[in-house]
């Protein structure tokens, strides 16, 4: 089994430098870090985490709490988080809460029992007062989520801006009956997106959108069911914003089955820029969320907080999303006819 | 904060029974387990794992090692593993190896440092002799993978049977030029599936299939590229087996773009029964892998090994997959014309 000395020799660096890289010391150049990582990979060197843990009170492990792994948005986010953590010498462990308050607490308990150095939460199930008690034991940051009263760093997308942008685009093209599918109201981001959407509608003096609003819609099957409801409406919407691409795909598949033309009869916009949006006919217009930037910033921030032992700091890191124009968004014949 | 006594009181059971449930004692009825879990959920009770760990030398944590979380097959598998582990009172942590030998060792090291009670490996990157050394510290099982020489329980799909079944089906319908896309040759399951496929071809006295064999193909983009190669062949294949549904989707999207009819010009079969297979036109025929059964068996086996402290036991748990007939598999006009 290779030792830290073997790594130093192969990398052509001192034992102290290698040790600094292993312990995530701030004053080591990226070049030296890469040399050490390359040598470690070549030798199959594994730092003895028990000894390391005793020495510096660290486990080298960061936990990410996510509601559901099978959601493609989250699996994409986790993939980048893991690669970033790894490049900084941390192991990432992923914990699925399944939206359960109790599971969230059990995983947060890993901080208390010193099994992880820090926690990244991608959603919040308990009241913040419950989460806050864990901040006595280590750093917690929010990624893709924000909570008003939380004294922690928050890395998130400006969803209000995003909801406003998509609504504004549709309104400017003459749509007035715009359906809106939301995955759920528990997340702050989801609420903000809806608020952005509504404020654009209010600016355009449109107020009676209750009948076009659908909650807890997040799968292909949900989208298919929603379309059945739309189809039976007296004044069916001419456009629809789906909170997830899977929902948009469900809407479109059901619409086509029932002889509707997309976008001829209904303009559809999804969210998340998933691969499937390019494979379906018509290709689905979607909103790109800056997942990679958000993941990188989250790892940078949690590492800093672990290193500085700062457990209660308020910080806002906000990013913007972008609309991708595709077939499902263009040439709505209802509008051509009425405008 | 609630105590074990509060849980016992609310569940209407003795403190000993609650403690038995928490420690995964074998002689507790499912009914009592449910009562305890319900009371725990209601009270937000979190067992103190540090104390628990000192008492019984257990962490209550199982680690799952997977190559890539964003692969929909694995994210589906993990989701069920997590729910099963949770129902047995274990926390599941998910560790992404990114096919790296070094990362695999670092995560296996969690056994050595007593940070987890057991490990489920869904792929194997290192030589088994390397993995075997970790078996001194706790139980490891293989899920969706098997290794000939490994002295551990293995829960997997009979891929040889599956490859044989799909090839046989196509051969019986008159196909003789069958393309085969494989994700990679490092996994035993992938090799076995190819062997099954080849043995069906050999039985049918077809031997020159090298030109129709494609390796390291696993994404939509890969599928699109493969189609460009097929299209330029003198004797293009009449059928294609894709190792993953994403590849089948890529093949079909590119084929349609270039004016091919699916299945008229090319019959396509995918693997894994992903949602997208139902949304694409034509709907993609695919092979259902028994993910749920495999996940449940894996958790049952790892819990048993943790409980009995059996770290080196050879066990085989083998399951079969099933072909789902859909449009992409039917009525190939090339065959109609030649048969």
């Amino acid at each position: 089994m290779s030792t830290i000395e073997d790594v130093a020799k192969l990398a052509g660096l001192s034992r102290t430098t290698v040790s600094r890289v292993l312990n995530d010391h701030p004053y080591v150049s990226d070049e030296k870090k890469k040399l050490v990582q390359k040598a470690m990979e070549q030798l199959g060197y594994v730092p003895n985490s028990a000894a390391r843990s005793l020495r510096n009170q660290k486990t080298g492990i960061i936990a990410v709490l996510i509601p559901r792994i099978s959601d493609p948005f989250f699996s994409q986010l986790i993939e980048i988080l893991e690669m970033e953590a790894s490049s900084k010498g941390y192991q990432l462990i992923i914990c699925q809460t399944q939206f359960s308050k109790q599971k969230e607490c059990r995983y947060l308990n890993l901080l208390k029992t010193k099994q992880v150095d820090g926690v990244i939460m991608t959603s919040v199930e308990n009241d913040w007062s419950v989460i806050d008690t864990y901040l006595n034991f280590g750093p917690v940051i929010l990624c893709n989520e924000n909570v008003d009263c939380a004294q922690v760093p928050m890395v998130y997308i400006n969803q209000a801006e995003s909801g406003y942008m998509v609504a504004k685009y549709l309104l400017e093209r003459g749509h007035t009956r715009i359906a809106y599918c939301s995955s759920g109201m528990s997340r702050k981001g989801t609420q903000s997106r809806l608020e952005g959407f509504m404020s654009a509608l209010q600016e355009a003096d449109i107020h009676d959108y209750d009948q076009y609003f659908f909650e807890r819609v997040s799968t292909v099957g949900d989208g298919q069911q929603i379309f059945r409801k739309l189809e039976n409406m007296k004044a069916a919407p001419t456009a629809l914003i789906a909170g997830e691409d899977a929902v948009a795909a469900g809407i479109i598949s059901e619409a086509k089955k029932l002889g509707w033309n997309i976008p001829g009869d209904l303009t559809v916009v999804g969210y998340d820029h998933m691969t499937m949006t390019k494979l379906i006919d018509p290709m689905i217009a979607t909103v790109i969320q800056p997942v990679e930037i958000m993941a990188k910033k989250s790892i940078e921030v949690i590492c800093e907080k672990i290193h500085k032992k700062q457990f209660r700091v308020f910080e806002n890191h906000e990013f913007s999303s972008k609309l991708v124009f595709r077939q499902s968004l263009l040439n709505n014949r209802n509008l051509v006819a009425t405008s």
Side-chain angles (χ1 to χ4, degrees), chain A:
Chain A
M1 215 148 171
S2 32
T3 64
I4 194 166
E5 281 77 18
D6 299 331
V7 175
K9 204 172 161 189
L10 184 62
L13 296 167
S14 71
R15 194 189 179 290
T16 315
T17 309
V18 175
S19 164
R20 280 188 177 156
V21 173
L22 291 176
N23 291 298
D24 199 30
H25 198 281
Y27 305 115
V28 187
S29 71
D30 282 351
E31 197 194 344
K32 284 182 183 166
K33 273 185 201 163
K34 272 183 200 153
L35 283 170
V36 171
Q37 274 155 14
K38 211 176 140 192
M40 281 169 66
E41 182 82 39
Q42 270 183 31
L43 294 166
Y45 172 76
V46 179
N48 183 333
S49 48
R52 205 174 144 199
S53 182
L54 280 174
R55 212 167 43 240
N56 65 9
Q57 295 285 310
K58 280 186 186 172
T59 61
I61 302 176
I62 297 168
V64 184
L65 272 52
I66 58 154
R68 282 192 64 185
I69 288 162
S70 64
D71 180 319
F73 175 82
F74 285 110
S75 59
Q76 201 188 337
L77 178 65
I78 291 169
E79 178 133 344
I80 308 170
L81 285 173
E82 194 281 325
M83 286 190 289
E84 281 298 304
S86 171
S87 77
K88 289 188 181 290
Y90 279 92
Q91 286 178 280
L92 198 78
I93 61 173
I94 299 135
C95 309
Q96 178 168 267
T97 63
Q98 292 273 13
F99 306 98
S100 149
K101 286 185 169 50
Q102 196 198 11
K103 283 190 188 178
E104 186 172 85
C105 286
R106 287 189 67 181
Y107 285 122
L108 280 167
N109 218 38
L110 295 170
L111 263 186
K112 212 165 163 177
T113 53
K114 307 277 176 220
Q115 288 174 282
V116 301
D117 294 341
V119 173
I120 299 173
M121 299 179 75
T122 66
S123 75
V124 175
E125 306 304 332
N126 285 279
D127 287 339
W128 191 258
S129 58
V130 175
I131 315 262
D132 191 78
T133 60
Y134 292 94
L135 293 179
N136 300 324
F137 306 101
V140 172
I141 73 161
L142 300 184
C143 167
N144 191 43
E145 184 59 294
N146 60 329
V147 172
D148 283 336
C149 53
Q151 279 294 314
V152 292
M154 301 180 239
V155 182
Y156 61 94
I157 297 161
N158 186 333
Q159 295 291 358
E161 178 192 74
S162 150
Y164 182 86
M165 165 189 72
V166 180
K168 193 85 183 161
Y169 178 88
L170 294 169
L171 289 162
E172 281 171 358
R173 264 130 209 95
H175 293 277
T176 55
R177 300 194 303 276
I178 307 173
Y180 187 96
C181 298
S182 166
S183 58
M185 280 297 112
S186 67
R187 296 171 57 85
K188 179 75 192 319
T190 315
Q191 279 171 37
S192 303
R193 193 189 290 170
L194 176 63
E195 281 160 21
F197 168 78
M198 292 199 304
S199 76
L201 261 60
Q202 276 152 6
E203 273 179 32
D205 218 17
I206 299 173
H207 301 280
D208 55 337
Y209 42 70
D210 274 11
Q211 58 172 322
Y212 301 125
F213 173 69
F214 302 94
E215 222 177 334
R216 291 199 191 84
V217 182
S218 62
T219 65
V220 168
D222 292 344
Q224 289 167 329
Q225 280 185 14
I226 294 296
F227 182 77
R228 294 275 176 175
K229 290 185 190 168
L230 301 183
E231 195 218 9
N232 291 320
M233 284 183 172
K234 266 192 183 168
T238 59
L240 179 139
I241 302 172
E244 293 180 35
D245 288 330
V247 174
I251 299 265
I252 292 177
S253 81
E254 198 67 10
K256 278 162 65 181
K257 216 181 281 170
L258 298 171
W260 281 46
N261 178 293
I262 307 289
D265 300 318
L266 180 70
T267 293
V268 178
V269 183
Y271 259 89
D272 296 346
H273 198 233
M274 292 297 145
T275 313
M276 66 157 79
T277 56
K278 279 191 266 185
L279 298 173
I280 287 167
D281 181 25
M283 290 202 275
I284 306 177
T286 182
V287 177
I288 298 189
Q289 316 240 41
V291 180
E292 193 170 339
I293 291 176
M294 200 165 58
K296 285 185 175 177
K297 177 52 87 179
S298 299
I299 294 296
E300 184 193 314
V301 171
I302 190 83
C303 289
E304 187 203 314
K305 299 313 166 205
I306 292 170
H307 193 77
K308 294 190 180 163
K309 298 200 169 65
Q310 289 178 325
F311 303 164
R312 274 196 178 82
V313 198
F314 172 76
E315 268 176 37
N316 254 341
H317 303 275
E318 195 178 87
F319 299 99
S320 293
S321 37
K322 215 174 91 184
L323 180 59
V324 186
F325 301 94
R326 296 233 189 85
Q327 296 155 351
S328 73
L329 189 59
L330 312 165
N331 305 324
N332 187 301
R333 64 182 168 218
N334 285 331
L335 297 182
V336 176
T338 55
S339 66

